[in-house]
Amino acid sequence: MQPESASPQLASPARVKRSLPDLTHPELTSSGAPLVMVTAYDYPGARHAEAAGVDLILVGDSLGNVVLGYDSTAPVTLADMIHHGKAVRRGAPNTFLVVDLPFGTYHAGVTDAMRHAVRVIQETGADAVKMEGSTPEVLDVVRVLSRNGVPVMGHVGLMPQTAAAQGGLRVQGKDDDSARRTLEGAVALQEAGAFAVVLEAIPARLARLISERLSVATIGIGAGVHCDGQVLVYHDLLGLYEGEEKKIAKRYADLGREAREAIAHYAAEVRAREFPSKDNSFVMKDEVLDKLY
Ligand code: KIV
């Protein structure tokens, strides 16, 4: 019988964690199926993702928007990423875990970036870090980190950390300049040692060309079906984030509506004294109570 006071946490089912070579060249694995990545920011989300059997979990700095309530990713700190990364690792001990380096933590030179990346790896137990962009400074960082045992996932196309400089949160790679920059950036990231590159909000045909040019995996979000993998933000996928459905995402559930309805139902039952019921209440012997009167 279960004790009245607590319900035990279920252990994560044993599973084989994807290795870096599997992830770098997914076409060489036995299934050859596209890689599946989803973001997670906390213990329960990580447990759901691992139980669903995703290949990679990303603790994205989209944390700032979907969990912390900021209107951009810029305010997210290294401490925020480490705090949430640790919780995700506890929930998904057997899934390849990537943690975003937030804005400003890899822009002040390679020594600084290395120190921050090592903190993320050591303190969260992540398998890799992700960073945005392909400027010469970022490429230097990718080169040094990957040569020194810190796997790096790159990110080109729409880059939320510097979206203001890109003219806002808008699709990239549509004109000559932007398409060439995106292609060359992805190739440069691979040459610098990135084991995979996220392609965000770029035309599907450009993503296809980049995926053909790169030998490492491309992981798309709003980049069409020809990438080597796909990533979605947890809150978008589950309908937890209010607002219109984004073109780059698909809602597979409407848990936000379910949550609102459930909380409203709870409130109504409390107000009607229907909750807690007998089933939710603890009992005591009459003689113990009588002594108190
Ligand atoms: O921060 C994030 O969630 C991301 C994904 C959208 C790739 O970078």
Side-chain angles (χ1 to χ4, degrees):
M1 206 174 91
Q2 199 158 296
E4 270 191 314
S5 57
S7 58
Q9 297 285 349
L10 297 171
S12 283
R15 70 192 291 264
V16 180
K17 189 165 135 184
R18 291 286 224 156
S19 70
L20 202 54
D22 273 3
L23 297 168
T24 309
H25 304 291
E27 74 286 359
L28 302 180
T29 62
S30 52
S31 81
L35 295 168
V36 179
M37 180 159 92
V38 67
T39 67
Y41 312 95
D42 58 16
Y43 176 81
R47 284 178 65 86
H48 294 317
E50 179 157 298
V54 301
D55 299 303
L56 306 97
I57 294 178
L58 169 67
V59 185
D61 62 352
S62 47
L63 170 78
N65 305 91
V66 299
V67 174
L68 301 180
Y70 299 132
D71 60 7
S72 81
T73 57
V76 176
T77 64
L78 192 72
D80 292 332
M81 296 307 299
I82 290 174
H83 179 71
H84 287 267
K86 282 178 175 175
V88 170
R89 178 44 98 204
R90 286 192 288 271
N94 299 312
T95 303
F96 194 94
L97 179 64
V98 185
V99 174
D100 258 341
L101 288 184
F103 180 63
T105 61
Y106 54 98
H107 304 93
V110 287
T111 311
D112 204 45
M114 185 73 186
R115 198 160 46 80
H116 293 145
V118 167
R119 273 197 65 195
V120 166
I121 299 282
Q122 287 182 332
E123 295 181 35
T124 67
D127 299 289
V129 295
K130 179 168 85 56
M131 62 189 71
E132 293 180 7
S134 56
T135 59
E137 294 77 16
V138 170
L139 292 174
D140 280 346
V141 170
V142 174
R143 210 167 285 117
V144 171
L145 262 60
S146 35
R147 267 199 209 141
N148 288 284
V150 180
V152 179
M153 180 178 278
H155 184 150
V156 296
L158 172 60
M159 293 173 283
Q161 290 179 5
T162 48
Q166 288 185 305
L169 289 171
R170 57 171 57 169
V171 62
Q172 301 293 310
K174 287 190 95 162
D175 60 47
D176 292 359
D177 234 31
S178 170
R180 184 156 298 283
R181 231 186 4 259
T182 308
L183 169 63
E184 289 176 357
V187 171
L189 281 164
Q190 166 174 291
E191 282 168 2
F195 74 92
V197 181
V198 167
L199 308 178
E200 179 164 356
I202 62 170
R205 290 200 294 175
L206 176 60
R208 180 178 197 160
L209 173 65
I210 295 173
S211 303
E212 284 165 4
R213 289 278 170 90
L214 296 196
S215 62
V216 299
T218 56
I219 302 190
I221 174 162
V225 76
H226 296 292
C227 300
D228 301 298
Q230 298 291 330
V231 54
L232 277 184
V233 168
Y234 186 87
H235 291 60
D236 292 339
L237 189 165
L238 294 177
L240 283 165
Y241 195 53
E242 280 154 40
E244 296 216 335
E245 195 167 345
K246 300 171 190 161
K247 188 169 169 75
I248 63 171
K250 179 171 174 184
R251 263 184 204 161
Y252 287 86
D254 196 356
L255 298 193
R257 183 176 49 76
E258 284 201 39
R260 287 189 292 279
E261 286 173 4
I263 295 168
H265 190 179
Y266 157 67
E269 287 202 349
V270 168
R271 289 175 185 136
R273 294 196 186 281
E274 286 169 8
F275 176 84
S277 72
K278 270 191 165 171
D279 288 348
N280 308 114
S281 304
F282 298 105
V283 294
M284 70 189 292
K285 291 187 179 125
D286 290 347
E287 58 266 34
V288 177
L289 184 63
D290 287 348
K291 284 189 198 141
L292 301 176
Y293 279 100

